């Protein structure tokens, strides 16, 4: 099968989804109102609540939700063949992710920009809120701790990426000032910013920076990078959003979209063959079944609960006009779906032969970022003639910047969680940004170094539960949105069907994992899996009861 045909088919379907289906959802289901006063205007403070140009906000949202997950998940899931991964990414983006992301923004904006966890208390009940907040905290803990490890390992493995990754921060600081003070127009700033970022990528191979294997006695280079990343993320999480978060995400979003065009352009020029099978029956021993694991292995890129946290945590506080939620939320999901599609293409067509592909995927869990970088560099080199080391640097920086922007937003969201707990439990000190940030960073470092030792990779211990916990969060977010729609007497099937499918697949995957952890003797993950499973059941029951109450109330009012 030609990779170019697969690419155009996927992009065409997603384009139709945005221009037709998202318009229907925005106008007929969520009924986005241009005259509604958004929290960004009502509570404007210049720090967290800042009315923002929809293109800049799209950049923040897209790069925050994407991370490395839409690269890693699809590049692993093609072990079952590229066909199932392609179908779930395309259909999931159109009917699941776009609806979920737009709905989470809308629900939060209509409720004073509350996070989906706090919002659950108003829509469903206090018990559901308490359980939901724990699930949210676990997801954020996993994301922040693990993405720090991912970025650190990328910089240790590819020292040519260090200058572009850290240089992007200084470019963003300058751009933030230029945009905020209106020194230059947004198009001019955008062009100059992208040129600056690509100049850093071009310079990266000539200025590699290798962290020593052991910086201090007992402190590895990997651990040093992790510590530096958390120091940076802590500072970024308390700065006003316009200073660093918005411009960094916006300019990275543009740079990463250019990177996608380079990848897609190389596919068109080379027109490689999908050397991997469409449906792979010759999977390595020990590979779990496609159903339900496909639907939790590919989360970001199809649908992800983390998106709901960003949508209701930072994006809703910056939305200038309510109709902007369609462009920011749904088109943001399209961008992530496009990245996941590119990951599928390069992880299956970026090899010279089927034997080369099988050598990469000799065991489940192989592939991921490595397959993305190697396969993408192969396609760009042979399709566009770019030196392979430059192409590899470009793709490594893409992965690292996605992970970095997600970590920036993730730590800010974790700070919000502690502040909301301070609000709920009347702890005034916890409501302040600095103590909440220190608690967020401290919990991540406790997991990273407490569970992982001096290397700081403790987040990887609980990472096997990320897929199921994250998808559970997406299903529960759709439940909250559905309850709101019923209360407002609007059609609920467009959210109810995705959430039912997602909850069934996620709970089934949790049960599959219970057996796996038990057989492996991994009683820590077994216990954590049971906690997550119980939380899922309890919140689902609470939401079902709330849904029944609202439907009964609506029925009685109509009589």
């Amino acid at each position: 099968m030609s990779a170019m045909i697969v690419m155009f088919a996927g992009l065409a379907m997603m384009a139709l989804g945005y221009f037709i289906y998202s318009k229907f959802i925005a106008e007929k289901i969520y009924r986005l109102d241009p005259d509604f006063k958004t929290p960004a205007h009502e509570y404007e403070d210049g720090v967290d609540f800042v009315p923002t140009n929809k293109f800049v906000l799209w950049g923040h949202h897209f790069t925050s939700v994407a991370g490395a997950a839409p690269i890693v998940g699809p590049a692993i899931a093609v072990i079952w063949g590229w066909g199932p991964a392609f179908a779930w990414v395309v259909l999931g983006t159109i009917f699941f992710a776009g609806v979920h992301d737009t709905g989470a923004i809308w629900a939060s904006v209509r409720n004073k920009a509350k996070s989906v966890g706090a919002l659950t208390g108003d829509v469903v009940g206090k018990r559901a809120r308490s359980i939901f907040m724990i699930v949210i905290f676990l997801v954020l803990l996993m994301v922040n701790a693990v993405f720090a490890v991912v970025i650190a390992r990328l910089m240790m493995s590819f020292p040519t990426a260090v200058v572009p990754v850290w240089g992007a921060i200084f470019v963003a600081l300058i751009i933030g000032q230029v945009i905020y003070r209106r020194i230059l127009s947004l198009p001019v700033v955008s062009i100059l910013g992208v040129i600056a970022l690509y100049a850093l990528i071009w310079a990266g191979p000539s200025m590699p920076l290798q962290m020593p294997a052991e910086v201090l006695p007992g402190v590895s280079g990997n651990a040093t990078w992790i510590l530096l990343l958390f120091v940076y993320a802590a500072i970024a999480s308390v700065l006003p959003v316009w200073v660093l978060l918005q411009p960094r995400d916006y300019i990275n979003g543009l740079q990463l979209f250019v990177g996608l065009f380079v990848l897609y352009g190389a596919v068109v020029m080379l027109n490689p063959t999908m050397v991997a099978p469409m449906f792979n029956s010759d999977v390595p021993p020990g590979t779990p079944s496609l159903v339900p694991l496909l639907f939790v292995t590919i989360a970001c890129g199809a649908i992800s609960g983390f998106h709901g946290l960003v949508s209701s945590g930072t994006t809703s506080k910056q939305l200038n006009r309510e109709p902007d939620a369609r462009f920011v939320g749904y088109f943001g999901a399209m961008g992530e779906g496009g990245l996941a599609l590119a990951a599928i293409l390069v992880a299956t067509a970026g090899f010279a032969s089927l034997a080369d592909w099988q050598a990469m995927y000799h065991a489940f869990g192989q592939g991921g970022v490595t397959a993305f970088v190697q396969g993408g560099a192969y396609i760009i080199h042979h399709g566009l003639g770019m030196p392979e080391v430059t192409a590899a640097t470009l793709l490594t920086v893409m992965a690292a910047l996605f992970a970095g922007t997600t970590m920036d937003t993730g730590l800010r969201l974790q700070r919000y969680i502690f502040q909301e707990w301070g609000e709920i439990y009347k702890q005034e000190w916890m409501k302040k940004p600095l103590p909440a940030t220190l608690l967020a960073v401290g919990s991540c470092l406790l997991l990273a170094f407490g569970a992982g030792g001096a290397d700081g990779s403790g987040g990887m211990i609980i990472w096997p539960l990320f897929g199921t916990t994250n998808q559970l969060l997406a299903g529960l977010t759709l439940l909250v949105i559905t309850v709101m729609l019923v209360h407002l007497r609007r059609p609920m099937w467009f959210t109810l069907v995705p959430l039912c499918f997602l909850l069934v697949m996620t709970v089934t995957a949790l049960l599959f994992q219970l057996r796996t952890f038990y057989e492996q003797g991994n009683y820590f993950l077994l216990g954590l899996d049971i906690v997550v499973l119980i939380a899922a059941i309890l919140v689902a029951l609470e939401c079902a009861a709330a849904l029944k109450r609202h439907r009964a109330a609506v029925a009685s009012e109509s009589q």
Side-chain angles (χ1 to χ4, degrees):
M1 172 70 78
S2 165
M4 187 168 65
I5 293 176
V6 176
M7 180 192 78
F8 281 125
L11 293 177
M13 285 188 282
M14 284 192 275
L16 288 174
Y18 178 74
F19 288 111
I20 298 175
Y21 191 64
S22 77
K23 184 178 180 181
F24 167 77
I25 293 294
E27 294 179 356
K28 304 299 183 182
I29 307 302
Y30 298 137
R31 301 179 189 176
L32 304 180
D33 182 3
D35 297 322
F36 180 78
K37 188 175 183 180
T38 64
H41 289 281
E42 187 173 357
Y43 306 110
E44 184 174 1
D45 61 6
V47 179
D48 295 318
F49 291 86
V50 179
T52 303
N53 177 287
K54 70 176 183 179
F55 296 102
V56 175
L57 185 56
W58 167 85
H60 156 71
H61 183 82
F62 167 54
T63 55
S64 294
V65 300
I71 294 173
V72 176
I76 291 175
V78 293
I79 189 68
W80 292 298
W82 62 263
F86 172 83
W88 174 229
V89 163
V90 173
L91 298 179
T93 296
I94 296 170
F95 297 107
F96 288 67
V99 175
H100 170 275
D101 291 18
T102 308
I105 296 173
W106 165 75
S108 179
V109 165
R110 287 286 170 161
N111 289 273
K112 302 179 180 180
K114 290 182 179 179
S115 73
V116 69
L119 180 59
T120 304
D122 298 336
V123 176
V124 180
K126 293 182 179 179
R127 286 181 299 185
R129 177 189 64 192
S130 299
I131 300 169
F132 208 168
M133 294 284 274
I134 294 172
V135 175
I136 291 171
F137 179 77
L138 281 174
V139 169
L140 290 173
L141 191 65
M142 293 179 192
V143 168
N144 292 330
V146 170
F147 278 19
V149 175
V150 170
I151 301 169
R153 289 181 177 176
L154 282 172
M155 289 191 291
M156 289 295 290
S157 301
F158 300 95
T160 57
V162 174
V163 168
V165 168
W166 288 98
I169 296 171
F170 296 99
V171 172
L173 287 169
I174 296 170
I175 287 175
Q177 295 295 324
V178 172
I179 292 176
Y180 183 74
R181 303 184 189 285
R182 299 182 180 180
I183 298 172
L184 296 172
S185 65
L186 186 61
V188 174
V189 174
S190 303
I191 293 170
L192 293 177
V194 170
I195 292 173
L197 288 184
Y198 274 98
L200 288 171
I201 292 173
W202 176 80
S206 61
M207 294 187 294
L209 293 179
Q210 180 69 63
M211 181 72 74
E214 189 173 76
V215 180
L216 296 171
V219 182
S220 67
N222 190 74
T224 303
W225 278 129
I226 291 173
L227 289 170
L228 289 174
L229 285 164
F230 274 112
V231 169
Y232 157 74
I235 296 171
S237 72
V238 295
L239 287 174
V241 290
W242 64 268
V243 173
L244 181 58
L245 188 71
Q246 279 183 359
R248 174 169 156 81
D249 290 351
Y250 172 65
I251 203 67
N252 283 343
L254 292 179
Q255 182 263 332
L256 296 165
F257 241 67
V258 172
L260 280 178
F261 279 118
V262 170
L263 264 178
Y264 285 137
V267 170
V268 171
M269 296 301 295
L270 183 62
N271 192 17
T273 300
M274 309 281 281
V275 298
M278 185 173 183
F279 297 96
N280 186 24
S281 57
D282 184 24
V283 295
T287 303
S289 62
L290 184 151
V291 178
L293 269 298
L294 171 70
F295 304 100
V296 296
T297 301
I298 300 179
C300 298
I303 182 172
S304 165
F306 182 73
H307 291 205
L309 301 185
V310 176
S311 298
S312 64
T314 57
T315 302
S316 63
K317 294 177 176 63
Q318 303 170 62
L319 197 73
N320 185 37
R321 297 172 63 253
E322 194 174 64
D324 291 350
R326 178 193 172 204
F327 179 80
V328 174
Y330 204 102
F331 192 63
M334 294 292 105
E336 190 174 55
L339 177 61
L341 176 61
I344 292 171
L345 294 174
V346 302
T348 54
F351 298 87
S353 65
L354 176 60
D356 291 333
W357 181 81
Q358 289 173 332
M360 172 66 72
Y361 287 85
H362 62 86
F364 184 75
Q366 296 299 307
V369 174
T370 303
F372 176 78
V373 171
Q374 291 185 6
Y378 174 89
I379 290 175
I380 293 173
H381 173 63
H382 289 87
L384 300 178
M386 183 184 294
E388 203 151 356
V389 64
T390 305
T393 300
L394 168 67
L395 298 176
T396 302
V397 171
M398 280 181 65
L401 289 181
F402 267 127
T405 50
T406 299
M407 188 178 168
D408 288 358
T409 302
L411 199 64
R412 185 178 285 258
L413 292 172
Q414 205 164 0
R415 186 249 289 180
Y416 290 162
I417 292 295
F418 279 107
Q419 289 181 292
E420 287 180 349
W421 273 335
E423 185 75 34
I424 293 169
Y425 299 111
K426 312 299 181 185
Q427 299 295 319
E428 292 298 322
W429 66 274
M430 197 183 292
K431 293 161 60 176
K432 298 176 181 178
L434 184 57
T437 299
L438 293 176
L439 287 172
V441 173
S443 59
C444 291
L445 292 178
L446 183 63
L447 173 62
F449 291 94
D455 191 46
S457 57
M460 308 305 286
I461 294 174
I462 62 174
W463 186 249
L465 275 173
F466 172 76
T468 46
T469 308
N470 185 49
Q471 296 302 74
L472 165 65
L473 182 57
L476 298 180
T477 301
L478 285 169
L479 262 175
V480 172
I481 296 170
T482 302
V483 172
M484 285 186 61
L485 290 174
V486 170
H487 179 70
L488 294 170
R489 301 185 183 186
R490 297 179 189 174
M492 65 175 181
W493 299 107
F494 303 95
T495 56
L496 184 62
V497 172
L499 83 84
C500 289
F501 176 85
L502 206 57
L503 286 180
V504 169
M505 289 299 166
T506 302
V507 172
T508 306
L510 281 167
L511 293 173
F512 269 67
Q513 287 182 317
L514 275 178
R515 179 180 176 181
T516 301
F517 296 147
Y518 177 76
E519 291 175 347
Q520 293 174 346
N522 193 333
Y523 297 111
F524 172 73
L525 286 182
L526 178 68
L528 198 56
D529 193 310
I530 292 172
V531 169
V532 174
L533 184 59
I534 292 173
I537 294 170
L538 290 177
V539 175
L541 289 175
E542 289 284 342
C543 288
L547 190 61
K548 185 177 180 180
R549 288 196 306 270
H550 283 293
R551 293 191 69 183
V554 169
S556 63
E557 289 174 5
S558 61
Q559 290 177 354

